[in-house]
Amino acid sequence: MLVTERERLRDDIQAMADRMGRKRDALIPILQEVQTKHQQISDYAMQVVADLLDIHPVEVYSVVSFYSFLDNKPKGRFVVRLCRTISCDMAGKEAVARQLMNDLGVCFGESTKDGKFTLDWANCIGMCDQGPALLVNEQVHTKVTPEGVHEILEACRKTFGVYAQEKKEERA
Amino acid sequence: MTAKITFATIEAGAGLKAALGKGRADIIGELSASGIKGRGGAGFPVGVKWNLCAAARGESKYVVCNADEGEPGTFKDRVILMEHADLVFEGMTIGGYATGAREGIVYLRGEYAYMRAHLEAVLAKRREKKLLGKNAAGKQGFEFDIRIQMGSGAYVCGEETALIESLEGHRGEPRNRPPFPVDTGYMGRPTVVNNVETLAWVACIMAKGAGWFKSVGTEKSTGLKLFSVSGDCKNPGVYEFPMGITISKLMQEVGGEGAKAVQVGGASGHCVPAADFGRTIAFEDISTGGSIIVFGKGRDMLAVARNFLDFFVEESCGQCTPCREGNHKLLEGVTMLAEGRCSMAYLKELMSLGETMQLASKCGLGQSSSNAFLSIVKNFKDEIMGRATQGSLTHRRQGADHG
Amino acid sequence: MADNKKNIEDVSRAPVSQRGPAMERVAEGEGGIGAQVAVNIDGRDAKVPMGTTILDAAKKLGIRIPTLCHHPDLCVAGVCRVCVVEVENQRTLQAACAYPITQPTKVKTHTRKVRQARRHVVDLLLSQHYGDCYACTRNNNCELQSLAKEYGVDFFRFGHPTEARYEKDLSSHSVLRDMNKCVLCRRCVRTCIDLQEVGVLEAVGRSCETKIATFLDKPLAEVVCINCGQCINRCPTGALRANDPTDEVWAAIDDPKKHVVIQTAPAPRAAIGECFGLEPGHALTFEMNTALRMCGFDKVFDTNFTADLTILEEGTELILRLYKALVQKDRSVALPQFTSCSPGWVKYIEHFYPEYLPNVSSAKSPQQMFGAIIKTYYAQMHKIDPKDIVTVALMPCSAKKFECNRPEMMDSGYKDVDYGLTTRELAKMISEAGIDLPTIPKSDFDDPFGSATGSGVIFGASGGVMEAALRTVIELVVGIKVEDLYAHADIIPMRGFDGVKYAEINIPKVGPVPELLKKLVPSWDWLKGATLKVGVAHGTANAKRVMEDIKAGGKLSECHFIEFMGCPGGCLGGGGQPIPTSPEIRAARAKAIYDEDAHYEIRKSHENPVVAKIYKEFLTEGPCGHLSHKLLHTHYTPRGKYIV
Ligand SMILES: Cc1cc2nc3c(=O)[nH]c(=O)nc-3n(C[C@H](O)[C@H](O)[C@H](O)COP(=O)(O)O)c2cc1C
Ligand code: SF4
Ligand code: FES
C-alpha cells in the first residue's frame, strides 16, 4: 500500500472514530463502516482501529474473524449471499447455487477476478416464506430462480458504473 | 397472509399514552396480570423481567430490542419492523418508563440492513413528534431515546448476553449467567432485553388491558402469537394464532395438511412427527419463538438433520466444549448415517452426547442444538438407519473405528 | 493475599464473557456486603460469603470439583464445562467455577448426569487433541491427562486426530506454540490480555474453527510478544512451552574441549523443589550446586554476584542522571530512571513505550553482565580461551532466552551468554542425571563469583532490586547504617505483592562517600535534604499503569527511580518457573527468598568483596567507567507496535 493511501485510510478511520466515540463499544460500528467502504478490513486498518480505541490489534482481528459480515480479506463490490438454511434449501436453493457458480465462474467463498463479485453462503436471512432468497450487499432478492440469477447479476453489473464513478471521485 | 394481525388494529400511541398515565408499578403489574411471556423463544415472563430491572440499582439502565431474528424459519420480526415499527418503539418507550432506563437500543441483524433507513426514518419522526427525547410523549421528567446498532452476521448474537457483548464491541460470546442482564447487562448496568414481538405486544396490552390479552390462549400461555410459517405448505407467511393451538389446526390454516413432520421452534426446536400433531403450541407443551417449518411427504429427514447441524456447526460461538465439539460430532454422525457406516452403538453414544450438550453447554444455543437431531433420530429411526453403505472398504473401516 | 489482583471490572479488557460474575455487585445485592449464605454441597452444609462461587465453597468443604479453564490468577471463563455440577431447581448443569451463590443453594457434584457430562467433555477434548502423552514436555504435569485418568478414559469414544491440524510455531527464542494440543481453555488469552495486558493472543474464528492466534496469525517472533512466558505457566497442556536448549547444553557438557559455566539466578533455587515433589517455599540452593556439578558443569556461579554489580552500575548511573538533571539543570536527562534487569519488561517498553527508552538504565541485566565478565575477566584470570567457554544461565524466565540471543549481546567478542535454561528445564536435566535433588548433600558456589550478598538474592522478588539499591544508596551516600532506619535492613515498604509500590526516602545528610564513587561528581552536597522518590511495579499490566501515570504527569512521573518486573510477583513468578503457579505458591517462594536474604552475612551489594575486587583489578575506572560501558551496558531498540 502506498503511504498516501495509508494516510488516507488512517484519516478516514480517525474521522469515524471521532464520530462514533473512541470507546470499545464503537468498535463494531467502525468496522462495519470500514467494511462497507473498503470491502475489507485490511491489516493496517485493524491496527489503526486498535490504536484509536486503545485496544490490542489482535482483539480487533479476533472480532473481525468472529462475524461473518466482517472480513480481513478483500471482498467484491457485490457480495452475493445465498441462504442455505432449511426453508430455502427445500425451496430449491441448490439449483440457484449452481447457476450462480455458472454465471460468475467462481465457487462459494470466492471472488471474481475483476473484484466485482464475491459469492458466499448465508444462514437463514429471514425470507423463509419466499425462498430461495439471497442478499446482494444489503439488498434482498426472493423467490430466486436459476433463470433469475442472470438478471440479478446483470443489474449489479450495470450499477457498477455508478459505483466506479463514486470510487473515482473518492480518489480524486 | 400478514393482513389481519392485531398490531394493525391498535391505534397509534394509545399504548404509550395509557402507560404514561399509570405508575411504574402499575405498568409492570398490568403486564404480570396479562401473563405475557417473552416471544423470542425462551418464554420468560415479561412482568418479572421488568420488575427485576426496575428494582435493580444502577446509574443508568437500558432497554434493548432484540431484532437479531436469526432462528431458521423465523421472519415475523421482519414483518413487524417493516409494518409496525412504531408499536415496537412504543413498547421500548414504555419499558424505559417502567424500568427507569433512558436509552433504548435496537440490535438489528446485519441481514436486515436494508430496513435500517426505514427504521431511522420512523425514529426521526417520533423525535419530531416529541415521543422521544426530553419529556418524552409529554411526560415531564421522562427522558428516553432509541438508537439502532447493527449486528454483523452471527446467529448467536440473538442470545441476550452475546448480544450485549456484541453491543459492547466484543465477540458475540455468551456470558456466564448469573448474573443476568436485568442486574448486570449492557455496560454492566441493569438491562432489559426483549424480542421485537414482545415489545409490540406490550404496547397492545397497555392500550387494551391485561384482560383483553388474557382472554385468549391457555392458562400458562396467554394471548396471541405470531408464527412464521414456511416449508411445504400452500400459504407460507406470518400468521397470528392464539397460544395453545394444536399443530393439526395450524396445518389446516396454512395449507400444510398431509405433512410428514413439523419443525416447531426452528433449528433449535423440536421435530414433531405427524402422529403428534394433536399436541399444542404453548410454553407448557411445545414452546417456540414462532418458527414453523413444514416437511412434506417426500422429505429426507436425515437431510433435514444435516442442514440444521450444518447451521449450528457454523453458528456456535465456539467457546464452550460441548457445543463447539459436540455439534461437530453430531454432524459427523449424520454423515456416517447417510453413508451407512454408523453402528447402533455409536448412534446411542451420539444420543447421550446430545443429552450432555443440552445439560452442560454454556448457553441456549448449545443447550438446544441437539434437539432437532435427537427428535429426528427418535421419531424417524426407520428412515435414517439402514442406509446403503457408500465409499470404499477403507471408508467403512474408519467408521468402524469410530463406533 | 493482595498479589496483583486489581479490580478486574475497572481495568480488565478481557471480554465480559471471559470475566467472572461481578462479585462486588452481587455482594451489594440482596443481603448486602458481607452477608453469609447457606450452601449445601453433597449433603454437607456451610455458610459462605454472598457471591462465593460453588467451586470456592466446595473447596472450603474439602470437596474437589475438577476444573480446566479455571485458574486462580485469572478471571472466570466458564468455557470448558468440566466443572459442571447439579444445582437444585436449575434445568441445566451449572459451571461451578462461574456460579455465584447468592441465595441458599443445594448442589450435587457427582450425580450420574454430572459424571456423564464431564466424561463427554473430556472425550470431546480428546477427540481434537493431537499429540501423544509420552512424547510431550508436560507428560505427568498435564491437566488434560489428569482429567482423562480421573474420568477413566480408556478409549477414544469420539475418535482421535491422526494428523496435525496446525503447524507448530517455533519462531520464538522463548515461547513455542503447538496449537494441536490446545484445548481452547483460553487461559493464555486471559493471561496475555488481562493479566499482562500485552495482547498477543486472542481467540480467532468461531465455532469449531476457533483457535488461539496472534494478530494475523503471525509467528510469535514477529508480533509484540514480550516472551514473559506467563502463558506457558498457565497452559494446562503442552500447547505452550519454552524453547528448550537442554540438548545443546548436554552436548557442551559432553564436549571435553568446552569449559561449561553455569550461573544461577535467585528465583529458581526457591522453586525447583516443586519439580521434585516438595511443597512450594523450600529453597534448595546448595543441593542444586551439588547437582549441577554432578551433571557435569565445570563451574557453578551465583548470578547474585552480578546482581550486586548491577546495583553499583545502575546506582551510579542514577546518581549521574540526578546530578545532571538537578545540578547542571540539563533538561535532556531522562528521569525517572527505569530498571533494565527484566527482559520481558525491556521488550514491553520497546514495543509499547519506545519514546521512554532513554529512561531505561543502560546497565545490562545481571545475566548478561555475568556472561560478559565470564568471557573476559574470568577467561583472562583462568587463562581459558573465551571461545571454549560455554556460559549457561539458569533463570526463572523464558524472556532470558530471547535476551541472550539479542544480537547486541556480544560485547565480550563472543555470545555473552550461550544458553538460558529455565528452572523446569534444569529440573529435567537433574532428573535425567538420576539425581534426587532434595536428598543430596549440599555444597557451596565456586569462587570467585560464588560470594554474593542478600541484596542479590532478593532480586528474585518484586521490589528486591529497589530494596537492594536503597540499602546501598543509604549506606554509601547518606553514610548511615540501613539497620538504623529499617530493622534488620528489611525495607518493608518495598516488599509484598501490591501491584504498584511507592516510597520516599529522605537524605538528611551526605556521608563520607567511599573512594569508588567519590570522583563521579565534583561535589555531593546537592543531595543533602533531597527526597528520593522510588516506585516498584511488577507484571506488565501494572507497568502499563505506571507508564500511563507518568505520561499523564502523575505522582509517579516525579519518581527518580522505578523498578519494573515483567512478571507478576517478580522473577519468582517468572515464565520459566515450575508449573502450576498461584498467588499462594508465589507467596511461598517469596518467603523462601527473603529467608535466604536474612541468612546472608553480607546483605548489601557494595559490601561484596568480589565486587570491590573486580573494580580494583578489572573495571578500574569504576562503575560506569569506560570498560564498564563496553561490557556491562547496552542499548535498546524502539520496536513499536505496528506490525505490517
Ligand atoms: C442461540 C440463541 C439465539 C437467540 N436468538 C434470538 C433472536 O434472534 N431474537 C430474539 O428475540 N431472541 C433470541 N433468543 C432469546 C434471547 O436470548 C432472549 O431470551 C430474548 O431476547 C428475550 O426476549 P423475550 O423475553 O422478549 O423473548 C436467542 C437465544 C439463543 C440461546
Ligand atoms: S453453547 Fe455454543 S454458542 Fe453457547 S457459549 Fe457454548 S459454544 Fe458458544
Ligand atoms: S473450570 Fe469451570 S468451566 Fe472450565
Side-chain angles (χ1 to χ4, degrees), chain B residues 57 153-154 165 168 170-171 173-176 183-184 313-317 319-322 324-325 329 349 352 356 358-362, chain C residues 15-18 21 25 28 77-81 91-93 98-99 116-117 120 124-125 127-128 157-158 184 186 203 205-208:
Chain B
R57 273 181 295 155
E165 283 285 288
E168 291 182 4
H170 294 281
R171 294 158 65 85
E173 292 176 342
R175 298 177 176 176
N176 292 305
D183 177 62
T184 309
V313 164
E314 169 115 338
E315 294 292 346
S316 153
C317 84
Q319 66 170 325
C320 77
T321 317
R324 179 185 65 236
E325 310 297 350
K329 286 294 155 198
E349 207 70 88
S352 98
T356 289
Q358 290 173 330
L359 287 171
S361 293
K362 184 168 176 176
Chain C
V16 183
S17 62
Q18 305 293 311
R25 286 185 54 85
E28 275 173 27
V79 297
C80 74
R81 316 307 286 179
R91 189 175 47 88
T92 56
L93 301 177
Y99 193 97
Q116 170 158 327
H120 274 143
L124 287 172
L125 289 172
S127 79
Q128 290 300 316
R157 188 183 308 247
F158 300 116
L184 292 167
R186 305 200 187 185
R206 76 167 184 228
S207 189
C208 47

Coordinates of all heavy atoms in Angstrom, one line a residue, chain B residues 57 153-154 165 168 170-171 173-176 183-184 313-317 319-322 324-325 329 349 352 356 358-362, chain C residues 15-18 21 25 28 77-81 91-93 98-99 116-117 120 124-125 127-128 157-158 184 186 203 205-208:
Chain B
R57 N -30.4 -1.7 41.1 CA -29.7 -0.4 41.3 C -28.7 -0.2 40.1 O -28.0 -1.1 39.8 CB -29.0 -0.3 42.6 CG -30.0 0.2 43.7 CD -29.2 0.3 45.0 NE -28.8 -1.1 45.5 CZ -27.7 -1.2 46.3 NH1 -27.0 -0.2 46.7 NH2 -27.4 -2.5 46.7
G153 N -23.8 -10.5 11.3 CA -23.8 -11.9 10.8 C -23.3 -12.9 11.8 O -22.3 -13.6 11.6
A154 N -24.0 -13.1 12.9 CA -23.7 -14.1 13.9 C -25.0 -14.5 14.6 O -25.6 -13.6 15.3 CB -22.7 -13.7 14.9
E165 N -22.6 -8.5 24.6 CA -21.2 -8.5 24.3 C -20.9 -7.8 23.0 O -20.0 -7.0 22.8 CB -20.7 -9.9 24.2 CG -20.5 -10.6 25.5 CD -19.2 -10.1 26.3 OE1 -18.1 -10.4 25.8 OE2 -19.4 -9.4 27.3
E168 N -21.2 -4.2 23.1 CA -20.0 -3.6 23.8 C -18.7 -3.7 22.9 O -17.7 -3.2 23.4 CB -19.8 -4.3 25.1 CG -20.9 -3.9 26.1 CD -20.6 -4.6 27.5 OE1 -19.5 -5.2 27.7 OE2 -21.5 -4.4 28.4
H170 N -17.5 -6.6 21.5 CA -16.7 -7.9 21.6 C -17.2 -8.9 20.7 O -18.2 -8.7 20.0 CB -16.8 -8.4 23.1 CG -16.1 -7.5 24.1 ND1 -14.8 -7.5 24.3 CD2 -16.6 -6.6 24.9 CE1 -14.5 -6.6 25.2 NE2 -15.6 -6.0 25.6
R171 N -16.5 -10.1 20.7 CA -17.1 -11.2 20.0 C -18.4 -11.6 20.7 O -18.6 -11.4 21.9 CB -16.1 -12.4 20.2 CG -14.8 -12.3 19.5 CD -13.7 -13.2 20.2 NE -14.0 -14.6 20.0 CZ -13.7 -15.3 18.9 NH1 -13.0 -14.7 17.9 NH2 -14.0 -16.5 18.8
E173 N -19.9 -13.7 22.3 CA -19.8 -14.9 23.1 C -20.7 -14.8 24.4 O -20.4 -13.9 25.2 CB -18.3 -15.2 23.5 CG -17.5 -15.6 22.3 CD -16.1 -15.8 22.6 OE1 -15.6 -15.3 23.6 OE2 -15.4 -16.4 21.8
P174 N -21.6 -15.7 24.6 CA -22.5 -15.6 25.7 C -21.7 -15.5 27.0 O -20.7 -16.1 27.2 CB -23.3 -16.8 25.6 CG -23.4 -17.1 24.2 CD -22.0 -16.8 23.7
R175 N -22.3 -14.8 28.0 CA -21.6 -14.7 29.3 C -22.1 -15.8 30.2 O -23.1 -16.4 29.9 CB -22.0 -13.3 29.9 CG -21.6 -12.1 29.1 CD -22.1 -10.9 29.8 NE -21.6 -9.7 29.1 CZ -22.0 -8.4 29.4 NH1 -22.8 -8.2 30.4 NH2 -21.5 -7.4 28.7
N176 N -21.4 -15.9 31.3 CA -21.9 -16.7 32.4 C -23.1 -16.1 33.0 O -23.2 -14.9 33.2 CB -20.8 -16.9 33.5 CG -19.6 -17.6 33.0 OD1 -19.8 -18.7 32.5 ND2 -18.5 -17.0 33.0
D183 N -29.6 -7.5 35.9 CA -28.8 -7.0 37.0 C -27.5 -6.4 36.4 O -27.1 -5.3 36.8 CB -28.5 -8.1 37.9 CG -27.6 -7.7 39.0 OD1 -28.0 -6.9 39.8 OD2 -26.5 -8.3 39.1
T184 N -26.8 -7.1 35.6 CA -25.5 -6.7 35.1 C -25.6 -6.9 33.5 O -25.3 -8.0 33.1 CB -24.4 -7.6 35.6 OG1 -24.5 -7.6 37.0 CG2 -23.0 -7.0 35.2
V313 N -23.0 -26.0 13.5 CA -21.6 -26.1 13.4 C -21.0 -24.7 13.0 O -20.0 -24.3 13.4 CB -21.2 -27.2 12.5 CG1 -19.7 -27.1 12.1 CG2 -21.4 -28.6 13.1
E314 N -21.7 -24.1 12.1 CA -21.2 -22.8 11.6 C -21.5 -21.7 12.6 O -20.7 -20.8 12.8 CB -22.0 -22.5 10.3 CG -21.8 -21.1 9.9 CD -21.0 -21.0 8.6 OE1 -20.3 -21.9 8.2 OE2 -21.2 -20.0 7.9
E315 N -22.6 -21.8 13.4 CA -23.0 -20.6 14.2 C -22.7 -20.7 15.6 O -22.9 -19.7 16.4 CB -24.5 -20.4 14.0 CG -24.9 -20.0 12.6 CD -24.4 -18.6 12.2 OE1 -24.0 -17.8 13.1 OE2 -24.4 -18.2 11.0
S316 N -22.2 -21.9 16.1 CA -21.8 -21.9 17.5 C -20.7 -20.9 17.7 O -19.9 -20.7 16.8 CB -21.3 -23.3 17.8 OG -20.3 -23.3 18.9
C317 N -20.7 -20.3 18.9 CA -19.7 -19.3 19.1 C -18.3 -19.9 19.3 O -17.3 -19.3 19.1 CB -20.0 -18.4 20.3 SG -19.6 -19.0 21.9
Q319 N -17.0 -21.1 22.2 CA -16.2 -21.0 23.4 C -16.3 -22.2 24.3 O -15.4 -22.6 25.0 CB -16.6 -19.7 24.2 CG -18.0 -19.6 24.7 CD -18.2 -18.5 25.7 OE1 -17.3 -18.1 26.4 NE2 -19.4 -17.9 25.6
C320 N -17.5 -22.9 24.4 CA -17.6 -24.0 25.3 C -17.5 -25.3 24.6 O -17.9 -25.5 23.5 CB -18.8 -23.9 26.2 SG -20.4 -24.3 25.5
T321 N -16.9 -26.3 25.3 CA -16.6 -27.6 24.7 C -17.8 -28.4 24.2 O -17.8 -28.8 23.0 CB -15.8 -28.4 25.7 OG1 -14.9 -27.6 26.4 CG2 -15.1 -29.6 25.0
P322 N -18.9 -28.5 25.0 CA -19.9 -29.4 24.5 C -20.5 -28.9 23.2 O -20.8 -29.8 22.3 CB -21.0 -29.3 25.6 CG -20.3 -28.8 26.8 CD -19.2 -28.0 26.3
R324 N -19.1 -26.6 20.9 CA -18.2 -26.5 19.8 C -17.8 -27.8 19.2 O -17.9 -28.0 18.0 CB -16.9 -25.8 20.4 CG -15.8 -25.7 19.3 CD -14.5 -25.2 20.0 NE -13.9 -26.1 20.9 CZ -13.7 -25.8 22.2 NH1 -13.9 -24.6 22.7 NH2 -13.2 -26.7 23.0
E325 N -17.5 -28.8 20.1 CA -17.1 -30.1 19.6 C -18.3 -31.0 19.3 O -18.3 -31.8 18.5 CB -16.1 -30.8 20.5 CG -14.9 -29.9 20.9 CD -14.0 -29.5 19.8 OE1 -14.2 -30.0 18.7 OE2 -13.2 -28.6 20.0
K329 N -19.4 -33.3 16.2 CA -19.5 -34.8 16.2 C -20.9 -35.3 15.8 O -21.0 -36.3 15.1 CB -19.3 -35.3 17.7 CG -17.8 -35.2 18.1 CD -17.0 -36.2 17.3 CE -15.5 -35.7 17.3 NZ -14.7 -36.3 16.3
E349 N -24.3 -43.6 21.5 CA -23.3 -42.8 22.1 C -23.6 -41.3 21.7 O -23.5 -40.4 22.5 CB -21.9 -43.2 21.5 CG -20.7 -42.9 22.3 CD -20.7 -43.8 23.5 OE1 -20.1 -44.9 23.5 OE2 -21.2 -43.3 24.6
S352 N -26.5 -39.9 23.6 CA -26.2 -39.5 25.0 C -25.3 -38.2 25.0 O -25.4 -37.4 25.9 CB -25.6 -40.7 25.8 OG -24.2 -40.6 25.9
T356 N -25.9 -34.6 26.9 CA -24.9 -33.8 27.6 C -24.8 -32.4 27.1 O -24.7 -31.5 27.9 CB -23.5 -34.5 27.4 OG1 -23.5 -35.7 28.2 CG2 -22.4 -33.6 27.9
Q358 N -27.3 -30.7 25.9 CA -28.4 -30.0 26.4 C -28.2 -29.5 27.9 O -28.6 -28.5 28.3 CB -29.7 -30.9 26.4 CG -30.2 -31.1 25.0 CD -31.3 -32.2 25.0 OE1 -31.4 -33.1 25.9 NE2 -32.2 -32.0 24.0
L359 N -27.4 -30.4 28.6 CA -27.3 -30.1 30.0 C -26.1 -29.2 30.3 O -26.1 -28.4 31.3 CB -27.1 -31.4 30.8 CG -28.3 -32.3 30.9 CD1 -28.0 -33.6 31.5 CD2 -29.3 -31.6 31.9
A360 N -25.0 -29.4 29.6 CA -23.7 -28.8 30.1 C -23.3 -27.6 29.2 O -22.3 -27.0 29.6 CB -22.6 -29.9 30.0
S361 N -23.9 -27.3 28.1 CA -23.5 -26.2 27.3 C -23.7 -24.9 28.1 O -24.5 -24.8 29.0 CB -24.3 -26.1 26.0 OG -23.9 -27.2 25.2
K362 N -22.9 -23.9 27.7 CA -23.0 -22.6 28.4 C -24.2 -21.8 28.1 O -24.7 -21.1 29.0 CB -21.7 -21.8 28.1 CG -21.6 -20.5 28.9 CD -20.2 -20.0 28.7 CE -20.0 -18.6 29.4 NZ -18.7 -18.1 29.3
Chain C
P15 N -13.0 -9.7 27.3 CA -14.4 -9.6 27.1 C -15.1 -10.1 28.3 O -14.6 -10.9 29.1 CB -14.6 -10.6 25.9 CG -13.4 -11.2 25.6 CD -12.3 -10.5 26.3
V16 N -16.3 -9.5 28.6 CA -17.0 -9.8 29.8 C -17.3 -11.3 29.9 O -17.4 -11.9 30.9 CB -18.3 -9.0 29.9 CG1 -19.0 -9.2 31.2 CG2 -17.9 -7.5 29.8
S17 N -17.5 -11.9 28.7 CA -17.8 -13.3 28.7 C -16.7 -14.1 29.4 O -16.9 -15.2 29.8 CB -18.1 -13.8 27.3 OG -16.9 -13.7 26.6
Q18 N -15.5 -13.5 29.3 CA -14.4 -14.2 29.9 C -14.1 -13.7 31.3 O -13.1 -14.1 31.9 CB -13.1 -13.8 29.1 CG -13.3 -14.2 27.6 CD -13.4 -15.6 27.4 OE1 -12.6 -16.4 27.9 NE2 -14.4 -16.0 26.6
P21 N -18.4 -13.5 37.4 CA -19.5 -12.7 37.9 C -19.0 -11.5 38.6 O -18.0 -11.5 39.3 CB -20.3 -13.6 38.8 CG -19.3 -14.7 39.1 CD -18.3 -14.8 38.1
R25 N -20.8 -6.5 42.8 CA -22.2 -6.1 42.6 C -23.1 -7.1 43.2 O -24.1 -6.7 43.8 CB -22.5 -6.0 41.1 CG -21.9 -4.8 40.4 CD -22.3 -4.7 39.0 NE -23.7 -4.8 38.8 CZ -24.5 -3.8 38.9 NH1 -24.0 -2.6 39.1 NH2 -25.8 -3.9 38.8
E28 N -23.3 -6.7 46.8 CA -24.1 -5.5 47.2 C -25.6 -5.8 47.2 O -26.3 -5.2 47.9 CB -23.9 -4.4 46.2 CG -22.7 -3.5 46.5 CD -22.5 -2.5 45.4 OE1 -23.5 -2.2 44.7 OE2 -21.4 -2.1 45.1
A77 N -13.8 -17.9 33.2 CA -14.2 -18.1 31.8 C -15.5 -18.9 31.7 O -16.4 -18.5 31.1 CB -13.1 -18.7 31.0
G78 N -15.5 -20.1 32.4 CA -16.6 -20.9 32.4 C -16.8 -21.5 31.0 O -18.0 -21.7 30.5
V79 N -15.8 -21.8 30.3 CA -15.9 -22.3 28.9 C -15.7 -23.8 28.7 O -16.2 -24.4 27.8 CB -15.0 -21.6 27.9 CG1 -15.5 -20.1 27.9 CG2 -13.6 -21.7 28.3
C80 N -14.9 -24.4 29.6 CA -14.5 -25.8 29.4 C -15.7 -26.8 29.7 O -15.8 -27.8 29.2 CB -13.2 -26.2 30.1 SG -13.4 -26.4 31.8
R81 N -16.4 -26.4 30.7 CA -17.6 -27.1 31.2 C -17.2 -28.5 31.9 O -18.0 -29.4 32.0 CB -18.6 -27.4 30.1 CG -18.9 -26.3 29.2 CD -19.3 -25.0 29.9 NE -20.7 -25.0 30.5 CZ -21.2 -24.0 31.2 NH1 -20.5 -22.9 31.4 NH2 -22.4 -24.0 31.6
R91 N -32.5 -26.3 35.5 CA -32.8 -27.2 34.5 C -31.5 -27.8 34.0 O -31.4 -29.0 33.7 CB -33.5 -26.5 33.4 CG -34.1 -27.4 32.3 CD -34.9 -26.6 31.3 NE -34.2 -25.3 30.9 CZ -33.4 -25.3 29.9 NH1 -33.1 -26.3 29.1 NH2 -32.8 -24.1 29.6
T92 N -30.5 -27.0 33.8 CA -29.3 -27.4 33.2 C -28.2 -27.5 34.3 O -28.3 -27.0 35.4 CB -28.8 -26.5 32.1 OG1 -28.7 -25.2 32.7 CG2 -29.7 -26.4 31.0
L93 N -27.1 -28.2 33.9 CA -26.0 -28.2 34.9 C -25.3 -26.9 34.9 O -25.3 -26.1 33.9 CB -25.0 -29.3 34.4 CG -25.5 -30.7 34.3 CD1 -24.5 -31.7 33.8 CD2 -26.0 -31.2 35.7
A98 N -18.1 -20.7 37.9 CA -18.7 -19.4 37.5 C -20.0 -19.1 38.2 O -20.5 -18.0 38.0 CB -18.9 -19.4 36.0
Y99 N -20.5 -20.0 39.0 CA -21.8 -19.8 39.5 C -21.7 -19.2 40.9 O -21.2 -19.8 41.9 CB -22.5 -21.2 39.6 CG -24.0 -21.1 39.9 CD1 -24.9 -21.1 38.9 CD2 -24.5 -20.9 41.2 CE1 -26.3 -21.0 39.1 CE2 -25.8 -20.8 41.5 CZ -26.7 -20.8 40.4 OH -28.1 -20.7 40.7
Q116 N -21.5 -38.1 33.6 CA -21.6 -38.4 32.2 C -21.1 -37.1 31.4 O -20.4 -37.2 30.4 CB -23.0 -38.8 31.8 CG -23.2 -38.8 30.3 CD -24.4 -39.7 29.9 OE1 -24.6 -40.7 30.6 NE2 -25.0 -39.3 28.9
A117 N -21.6 -36.0 31.9 CA -21.3 -34.7 31.2 C -19.8 -34.5 31.2 O -19.1 -34.2 30.2 CB -22.0 -33.6 31.8
H120 N -18.0 -36.8 28.9 CA -18.2 -36.4 27.5 C -17.3 -35.2 27.2 O -16.7 -35.2 26.1 CB -19.7 -36.0 27.2 CG -20.5 -37.2 26.9 ND1 -21.8 -37.4 27.3 CD2 -20.2 -38.3 26.1 CE1 -22.3 -38.5 26.8 NE2 -21.4 -39.1 26.1
L124 N -14.6 -35.3 24.3 CA -14.7 -34.3 23.2 C -13.3 -33.6 23.0 O -12.8 -33.4 21.9 CB -15.8 -33.3 23.4 CG -17.2 -33.8 23.1 CD1 -18.3 -32.8 23.5 CD2 -17.4 -34.3 21.7
L125 N -12.8 -33.2 24.2 CA -11.5 -32.5 24.1 C -10.4 -33.4 23.5 O -9.6 -33.0 22.7 CB -11.1 -32.1 25.5 CG -11.9 -30.9 26.1 CD1 -11.5 -30.7 27.5 CD2 -11.6 -29.6 25.2
S127 N -10.9 -35.8 21.4 CA -11.2 -36.0 20.0 C -10.5 -34.9 19.1 O -10.5 -35.1 17.9 CB -12.7 -36.1 19.7 OG -13.2 -34.8 19.7
Q128 N -10.1 -33.8 19.8 CA -9.5 -32.8 19.0 C -8.0 -32.6 19.4 O -7.3 -31.8 18.8 CB -10.2 -31.4 19.3 CG -11.6 -31.4 18.7 CD -11.5 -31.5 17.2 OE1 -10.7 -31.0 16.5 NE2 -12.4 -32.3 16.6
R157 N -13.7 -42.3 22.6 CA -15.1 -42.5 22.3 C -15.5 -41.8 21.0 O -16.3 -42.3 20.2 CB -15.9 -42.0 23.4 CG -17.4 -42.2 23.4 CD -18.1 -41.6 24.5 NE -17.5 -42.0 25.8 CZ -18.0 -42.7 26.7 NH1 -19.3 -43.2 26.5 NH2 -17.4 -43.1 27.8
F158 N -15.0 -40.6 20.8 CA -15.3 -39.8 19.7 C -14.2 -39.6 18.7 O -14.0 -38.6 18.0 CB -15.9 -38.4 20.1 CG -17.1 -38.5 20.9 CD1 -17.1 -38.1 22.2 CD2 -18.3 -39.1 20.4 CE1 -18.3 -38.2 23.0 CE2 -19.4 -39.3 21.2 CZ -19.4 -38.8 22.5
L184 N -8.4 -24.9 24.1 CA -9.2 -23.7 24.0 C -9.8 -23.3 25.3 O -10.9 -22.8 25.4 CB -10.3 -23.9 23.0 CG -9.8 -24.0 21.5 CD1 -10.9 -24.5 20.6 CD2 -9.3 -22.6 21.0
R186 N -8.5 -21.0 27.0 CA -8.3 -19.5 26.9 C -7.5 -19.0 28.1 O -7.6 -17.8 28.4 CB -9.6 -18.8 26.7 CG -10.3 -19.3 25.5 CD -11.3 -18.3 25.1 NE -12.2 -18.9 24.0 CZ -13.1 -18.2 23.4 NH1 -13.2 -16.9 23.7 NH2 -13.8 -18.7 22.5
A203 N -8.7 -15.4 20.9 CA -9.4 -16.4 20.2 C -9.8 -15.8 18.8 O -10.2 -14.7 18.7 CB -10.6 -16.8 20.9
G205 N -11.6 -16.6 14.9 CA -12.5 -17.5 14.2 C -13.7 -17.9 15.2 O -13.6 -17.5 16.4
R206 N -14.6 -18.6 14.7 CA -15.7 -19.1 15.6 C -16.0 -20.5 15.4 O -15.5 -21.1 14.5 CB -16.9 -18.1 15.6 CG -17.7 -18.4 14.4 CD -19.1 -17.6 14.5 NE -19.9 -17.9 13.4 CZ -20.6 -17.0 12.7 NH1 -20.5 -15.7 13.1 NH2 -21.3 -17.4 11.7
S207 N -16.8 -21.0 16.3 CA -17.3 -22.4 16.3 C -16.1 -23.3 16.3 O -15.1 -23.0 16.9 CB -18.1 -22.6 15.0 OG -18.7 -23.9 15.1
C208 N -16.1 -24.4 15.5 CA -15.0 -25.4 15.6 C -13.8 -24.9 14.9 O -12.8 -25.5 14.9 CB -15.4 -26.8 15.2 SG -16.3 -26.8 13.7

